[in-house]
Amino acid sequence: MAARKQLKLGAFMRPVSIHTGAWRWPGAWVDANFNWPRLKRLALKLEEGCFDAFFMADHLAVLNMSRDALRHSHTVTSFEPFTLLSALAAVTERIGLVATGSTSFDAPFHVARRFASLDHISNGRAGWNIVTTSNPDAALNFGLEEHLDHDERYRRAREFFDVVTGLWDSFADDAFPRDAGTGTYLDPDRMRALDHRGEFYKVRGPLNIARPVQGWPVIVQAGASEAGRQLAAETAEVIFAAPGNLEDGQSFFRDVKARTAAAGRNPEHLKILPGAFVVVGGTVEAAREKRARLDALVPQANAMASLSIMLGTDAGRFDPDAPLPDDIPETNDSKSGRERAIALGRRENLTVRELANRLGGYGGLSFVGTPETIADGMEEWLETEASDGFNVMFPYLPEGLDDFVDKVVPELQRRGIFRRAYEGTTLRDHLGLPRPANRFFR
Amino acid sequence: MAARKQLKLGAFMRPVSIHTGAWRWPGAWVDANFNWPRLKRLALKLEEGCFDAFFMADHLAVLNMSRDALRHSHTVTSFEPFTLLSALAAVTERIGLVATGSTSFDAPFHVARRFASLDHISNGRAGWNIVTTSNPDAALNFGLEEHLDHDERYRRAREFFDVVTGLWDSFADDAFPRDAGTGTYLDPDRMRALDHRGEFYKVRGPLNIARPVQGWPVIVQAGASEAGRQLAAETAEVIFAAPGNLEDGQSFFRDVKARTAAAGRNPEHLKILPGAFVVVGGTVEAAREKRARLDALVPQANAMASLSIMLGTDAGRFDPDAPLPDDIPETNDSKSGRERAIALGRRENLTVRELANRLGGYGGLSFVGTPETIADGMEEWLETEASDGFNVMFPYLPEGLDDFVDKVVPELQRRGIFRRAYEGTTLRDHLGLPRPANRFFR
């Protein structure tokens, strides 16, 4: 029997959970934002489940929310990802560690250096999630009143990527003979100053750190726009995608893999991992009921605000205990959001309140069911070329994460579509990605 | 008997050692720049020795050296301090963790956030070494051709300090009620946006991280200039000083403690810790001989270059095996360096080669002797108000560090001038520093 195609699994984490109501779940670790032992415990459990990577979400600001939304939010403050992932590198042995690095609000030299250092400390487990940071609240924390426009952000991101990867190539792998007899620690012929002078950046180099263990840390991206897809096809090795259903997933997968081939790259070297919110129950009904209970913990103000934004109209004027009316006016604001919200309400026959809770909690792709039905769904995405795996989001912590590792992972392993043990030591090993050649040295 | 005044001890570390010849010492860990288990081992040993802090030296560039000096240098590349200290936070329990944060080449928001995060992960053990980064090679890595002048660097540093500490005060200690019943995770009345608009920085805030465990991480500085001393007196809690002898130490101590009092602060809340290079032997002679052997490992080109720079004249034209001649011409370049070099050569009756090796290895304050004579020296500095302790530099690793912990520390403990166990849990506890009040909240 031929080896089966393998799922790749990242864990997309915020310390308390992605779901806005999760901290109110009975037994949830409400203090995890600043409780290091809890984060250590979660990472070790994911490593026990052979996850490819621990992916730390991030923002560069306290987001501009209403006072009421702010009051209910557990995502406002937490560990900075780099310090957290470096600490996790010290207590884990195999799991990949992916952090966000902004191309708008940080210097390429700092970003290159820190990811290289994380890669050395973790012995080859770092990944860089390149984000262009569209958030205007972040701009205000860095002395900028106006945020860059979309096109300029992407041109800047592309140049930033070239500078960072160029800095990673500052030293050949054999640059350090460390020969005590002759006194030669470093061979200057195997070191190169980048001397970059581009549209946005002037950076001399060399980087003051040896080439990363993986050559380059794994390159991750999330952009879904035209410019985002193209940048990913040219540079990314993992895409954090956000399709809402299987058909959208297949269409995105086809498009990006084709762009990757057109860019002269092997499409196998770009892994597409949609975010997936997973709720595990003993029966499908029990799982759905769990999710409804969780969604009901989303504060009403937040939930209705989310629904109103998606519909482009004040949802407060509808009967909360009836389905959405048929005659919701079209607006210019948010056509796709409006359509998605209406379709979701119809498909699952939700009342306005239920729909608001759902969207206020987590509105994207989800698998809600038994370990078997969840594995069925993931297998279908894998087999029908809708994804190479998933960035799993857990409904509440630690219980939702433990459920996945203890119940879903063994089912995926039983089917032969997920590893039972790590085959290699680096994140590139886990993902089946090649080590990039050094542009300056063979 | 009254309790005796206590020494404070930091370890000033580069992974392979401060001394430029150290990597050639038999048994030295030449690969420590990128060998995480070795760094972990060193930090655990320092913690066994009850050191106040592990202090990671840093540069933001491969320094501009001759190819020949570069070839012999083990300090060109190593772990980035933040990733290293975060990893060390995960495997140690008490020792303080001090990193450098540049006020010239980083954003206050990033610096505030990372130090706050390190303080949370380490449960109150972070310290921020404020450096203004005078190195022009670093400027070229951040898109700047010209480096800022000295005065502007210090004005910028002062404003940077105000912004960072203001961001640390973004949240009251009781800002997070996390009440699942009412749904109140965060009390918006206990959060404050800084809204800083100054000469150099515009930063809105709030910081997206709770107030550090220590209120603020411990503030460390090293400037010895007029502007540096004044900034330290106003803001620092630890000074990394560099006096060459006891008299200079006493004079610096008096000056800075007086400035601190004049700034309205308690001089006890500013600890003065000179850097001290320590070589331990079974006899004083054996220790001196060890040091001479170590200095002889400094490559000749580097050693002669160091001496030439200090003298302001080419030292290669002197007889290497004779003492310095009497008639070395004065120059405009480096008057104080010239005088120090000449005085050192005369005091210890060194040949030109020996003097060059000494200066090329480590030219600053040193204690070379038995555990008893080293403890005598340190006690004298403490008792005569020349210092509050030391930032110890080890001649080679791990042996030089182990010697200090296993032999000198017990002697200091026996005399009652150094702790036998940590009294508290935070770096402020170790140093006897108060937790700063929050400027916005009581």
Side-chain angles (χ1 to χ4, degrees):
Chain A
M1 195 175 98
R4 298 199 59 189
K5 209 170 148 185
Q6 296 292 299
L7 271 178
K8 305 301 176 187
L9 293 180
F12 187 69
M13 302 288 292
R14 294 204 59 112
V16 179
S17 160
I18 295 296
H19 191 284
T20 54
W23 68 275
R24 301 173 70 188
W25 188 260
W29 285 346
V30 293
D31 63 348
N33 281 322
F34 297 108
N35 187 319
W36 155 245
R38 295 211 190 288
L39 269 290
K40 176 176 163 181
R41 151 75 171 76
L42 296 174
L44 288 171
K45 186 75 183 183
L46 290 166
E47 191 166 67
E48 179 192 324
C50 297
F51 265 66
D52 292 80
F54 182 107
F55 187 138
M56 181 68 173
D58 193 30
H59 292 297
L60 288 173
V62 171
L63 302 184
N64 191 12
M65 304 186 232
S66 72
R67 280 178 68 82
D68 203 46
L70 201 57
R71 183 180 294 280
H72 302 302
S73 174
H74 65 77
T75 63
V76 167
T77 76
S78 70
F79 293 123
E80 181 272 338
F82 240 94
T83 43
L84 177 62
L85 294 184
S86 303
L88 288 175
V91 297
T92 56
E93 295 188 345
R94 289 289 180 268
I95 193 166
L97 301 164
V98 181
T100 288
S102 168
T103 58
S104 298
F105 302 119
D106 211 336
F109 193 88
H110 285 314
V111 169
R113 188 175 181 220
R114 277 196 293 271
F115 279 96
S117 189
L118 180 61
D119 205 54
H120 281 288
I121 286 184
S122 66
N123 202 20
R125 296 186 283 137
W128 174 29
N129 179 37
I130 305 184
V131 298
T132 63
T133 315
S134 60
N135 174 3
D137 294 315
L140 294 173
N141 289 331
F142 295 92
L144 305 166
E145 294 283 348
E146 300 271 320
H147 195 47
L148 313 171
D149 73 35
H150 188 269
D151 275 4
E152 180 172 334
R153 278 214 322 275
Y154 273 90
R155 286 212 315 285
R156 186 184 278 268
R158 177 59 211 242
E159 187 181 332
F160 196 109
F161 168 83
D162 290 337
V163 175
V164 167
T165 54
L167 288 170
W168 283 335
D169 289 345
S170 294
F171 293 92
D173 290 332
D174 61 0
F176 301 93
R178 299 179 188 134
D179 180 337
T182 63
T184 297
Y185 191 90
L186 155 67
D187 178 354
D189 292 334
R190 308 298 282 165
M191 176 183 95
R192 174 84 165 249
L194 181 65
D195 257 329
H196 174 88
R197 288 160 189 272
E199 184 182 4
F200 301 104
Y201 299 105
K202 264 199 312 199
V203 181
R204 191 182 67 174
L207 196 63
N208 55 350
I209 188 162
R211 194 160 193 255
V213 172
Q214 297 184 99
W216 305 349
V218 171
I219 305 296
V220 182
Q221 276 171 54
S225 69
E226 180 70 21
R229 289 179 188 210
Q230 192 54 34
L231 181 68
E234 291 170 12
T235 64
E237 301 177 299
V238 172
I239 293 191
F240 190 142
N245 58 51
L246 186 70
E247 293 70 36
D248 289 353
Q250 289 165 336
S251 144
F252 182 84
F253 189 96
R254 266 195 310 274
D255 177 60
V256 172
K257 295 273 182 172
R259 287 176 192 254
T260 306
R265 299 177 59 209
N266 181 345
E268 290 288 309
H269 295 161
L270 173 54
K271 302 298 181 190
I272 298 179
L273 308 183
F277 185 77
V278 179
V279 183
V280 186
T283 64
V284 173
E285 257 327 291
R288 287 193 180 143
E289 200 268 328
K290 259 194 203 182
R291 182 179 199 178
R293 267 196 293 146
L294 176 63
D295 286 343
L297 296 174
V298 177
Q300 282 309 297
N302 300 35
M304 279 298 175
S306 297
L307 179 57
S308 299
I309 288 166
M310 286 193 80
L311 294 176
T313 186
D314 177 12
R317 64 197 171 85
F318 306 135
D319 177 355
D321 297 313
L324 271 184
D326 288 330
D327 57 344
I328 295 171
E330 282 209 36
T331 67
N332 286 331
D333 287 1
S334 57
K335 212 166 159 187
S336 72
R338 177 178 169 282
E339 281 162 16
R340 269 196 293 141
I342 293 171
L344 174 64
R346 299 232 169 101
R347 191 167 69 241
E348 301 201 16
N349 197 23
L350 302 173
T351 65
V352 168
R353 193 196 311 279
E354 289 165 340
L355 180 60
N357 286 344
R358 175 71 64 82
L359 296 170
Y362 180 77
L365 175 67
S366 59
F367 294 102
V368 179
T370 66
E372 293 73 26
T373 67
I374 292 165
D376 288 345
M378 292 190 159
E379 193 171 351
E380 184 181 18
W381 279 67
L382 183 67
E383 293 297 333
T384 65
E385 301 204 324
S387 82
D388 294 304
F390 296 93
N391 275 305
V392 180
M393 294 179 258
F394 309 103
Y396 31 75
L397 298 171
E399 188 189 333
L401 184 152
D402 290 350
D403 280 350
F404 192 93
V405 170
D406 293 334
K407 298 171 183 168
V408 180
V409 166
E411 178 62 23
L412 298 170
Q413 289 168 334
R414 201 186 56 73
R415 297 176 186 211
I417 57 172
F418 191 62
R419 68 174 68 86
R420 288 173 187 273
Y422 291 103
E423 306 86 5
T425 60
T426 71
L427 179 53
R428 288 185 179 276
D429 290 341
H430 307 339
L431 295 170
L433 300 171
R435 188 174 194 267
N438 189 318
R439 75 194 61 186
F440 300 127
F441 303 102
R442 300 199 49 172
Chain B
M1 194 176 99
R4 298 199 58 189
K5 210 170 148 187
Q6 296 291 299
L7 271 179
K8 306 300 176 187
L9 293 180
F12 187 69
M13 302 288 291
R14 294 203 61 111
V16 179
S17 162
I18 296 296
H19 192 283
T20 54
W23 68 276
R24 300 173 73 187
W25 187 259
W29 286 345
V30 293
D31 62 348
N33 281 322
F34 299 108
N35 187 319
W36 155 245
R38 296 213 192 284
L39 270 291
K40 176 176 162 181
R41 150 77 171 77
L42 295 174
L44 288 171
K45 185 75 184 183
L46 290 167
E47 191 166 69
E48 181 192 323
C50 298
F51 265 66
D52 291 81
F54 182 107
F55 187 137
M56 180 67 172
D58 194 30
H59 292 297
L60 287 173
V62 171
L63 302 184
N64 192 12
M65 303 186 232
S66 72
R67 279 176 68 80
D68 203 47
L70 201 58
R71 182 181 296 280
H72 303 302
S73 174
H74 65 76
T75 63
V76 166
T77 77
S78 70
F79 294 124
E80 181 274 337
F82 241 93
T83 42
L84 177 62
L85 294 184
S86 303
L88 288 175
V91 297
T92 56
E93 295 189 347
R94 287 290 179 271
I95 193 167
L97 302 164
V98 181
T100 287
S102 168
T103 58
S104 298
F105 302 118
D106 211 336
F109 194 88
H110 286 313
V111 169
R113 189 176 181 219
R114 277 196 292 272
F115 279 96
S117 189
L118 180 61
D119 205 55
H120 281 288
I121 285 184
S122 65
N123 203 20
R125 297 187 282 138
W128 173 28
N129 179 37
I130 305 185
V131 298
T132 63
T133 316
S134 61
N135 174 3
D137 294 315
L140 295 173
N141 289 331
F142 296 91
L144 304 165
E145 293 285 346
E146 299 272 319
H147 195 50
L148 313 170
D149 72 36
H150 188 268
D151 276 3
E152 180 172 334
R153 281 214 320 277
Y154 273 91
R155 286 212 315 285
R156 187 184 278 268
R158 178 58 210 242
E159 187 180 332
F160 196 108
F161 169 84
D162 290 337
V163 175
V164 168
T165 55
L167 288 170
W168 283 335
D169 289 346
S170 294
F171 294 92
D173 290 330
D174 62 359
F176 301 94
R178 300 179 188 134
D179 180 336
T182 62
T184 297
Y185 191 89
L186 155 66
D187 179 354
D189 292 334
R190 308 297 284 167
M191 176 183 96
R192 174 85 163 250
L194 181 65
D195 258 328
H196 174 88
R197 288 159 190 274
E199 183 183 5
F200 300 104
Y201 299 104
K202 263 200 311 201
V203 181
R204 190 180 67 174
L207 196 63
N208 56 348
I209 189 162
R211 195 160 192 256
V213 172
Q214 296 184 99
W216 304 349
V218 171
I219 305 295
V220 183
Q221 276 169 57
S225 69
E226 180 69 23
R229 289 178 188 211
Q230 192 54 33
L231 181 69
E234 291 170 12
T235 63
E237 300 176 300
V238 172
I239 293 191
F240 190 141
N245 58 51
L246 187 70
E247 294 67 38
D248 290 352
Q250 289 165 337
S251 144
F252 182 84
F253 189 96
R254 267 195 309 274
D255 177 60
V256 171
K257 294 272 182 174
R259 287 175 192 254
T260 306
R265 299 175 59 208
N266 181 344
E268 290 287 309
H269 296 159
L270 172 55
K271 303 298 181 191
I272 298 178
L273 308 183
F277 185 77
V278 179
V279 183
V280 187
T283 63
V284 172
E285 259 325 293
R288 287 193 181 143
E289 200 269 327
K290 258 196 206 184
R291 181 175 202 184
R293 268 196 291 145
L294 176 63
D295 287 342
L297 295 174
V298 176
Q300 282 310 297
N302 299 36
M304 279 299 175
S306 297
L307 179 57
S308 298
I309 288 167
M310 286 191 79
L311 294 178
T313 187
D314 178 10
R317 62 194 172 87
F318 305 136
D319 177 355
D321 297 313
L324 269 184
D326 288 330
D327 57 344
I328 295 171
E330 283 211 35
T331 68
N332 287 329
D333 287 2
S334 56
K335 209 166 161 184
S336 70
R338 178 178 168 282
E339 281 163 15
R340 268 196 294 142
I342 293 172
L344 174 63
R346 300 232 168 101
R347 192 167 66 241
E348 301 202 16
N349 197 22
L350 301 173
T351 64
V352 168
R353 192 197 310 279
E354 287 166 341
L355 180 60
N357 286 344
R358 174 72 63 82
L359 296 170
Y362 180 77
L365 176 67
S366 57
F367 295 101
V368 179
T370 66
E372 293 72 26
T373 67
I374 292 166
D376 288 344
M378 293 190 160
E379 193 171 350
E380 183 181 19
W381 279 66
L382 183 68
E383 294 298 332
T384 64
E385 302 205 325
S387 82
D388 294 304
F390 296 93
N391 275 305
V392 180
M393 295 179 257
F394 309 102
Y396 30 77
L397 299 172
E399 189 190 332
L401 185 152
D402 290 352
D403 279 349
F404 192 93
V405 170
D406 292 335
K407 298 171 184 169
V408 181
V409 166
E411 177 61 24
L412 298 170
Q413 290 169 334
R414 202 187 56 73
R415 298 178 185 209
I417 57 172
F418 191 61
R419 69 174 69 83
R420 289 173 187 274
Y422 292 103
E423 306 85 5
T425 61
T426 71
L427 180 53
R428 287 185 179 276
D429 290 341
H430 307 339
L431 294 170
L433 300 172
R435 189 175 194 267
N438 189 316
R439 75 194 62 186
F440 300 127
F441 304 102
R442 301 198 48 169

